[in-house]
Amino acid sequence: MHKYKVGQTLDLLPNRASSSRKAGECQIVALLPYEGHQVQYKVQAKAETHLRIVSENDLQLIRH
């Protein structure tokens, strides 16, 4: 079950394994079907022009 919903803006956490993914705000554009062991989302990061597929563990609520 997905914890977040389409249209929600969240913080994308940094990925230590990939230097190409920047941390920062992103918006959920699609909920992906559950495959394997993690729930995934398609997101649009504010700092990037392309979409990314990330796991739920890579996202957190924005804390002000």
Side-chain angles (χ1 to χ4, degrees), residues 9-11 25 60-64:
T9 300
L10 301 161
D11 272 334
E25 285 188 19
Q60 73 178 14
L61 293 173
I62 294 175
R63 302 183 199 271
H64 295 282

Side-chain angles (χ1 to χ4, degrees), residues 8 10 14 18 25-28 34 37 48 51 55 58 60:
Q8 194 169 1
L10 301 161
S18 171
E25 285 188 19
C26 68
Q27 185 173 38
I28 306 282
Y34 181 78
H37 60 282
E48 298 177 330
L51 299 175
S55 70
D58 294 326
Q60 73 178 14

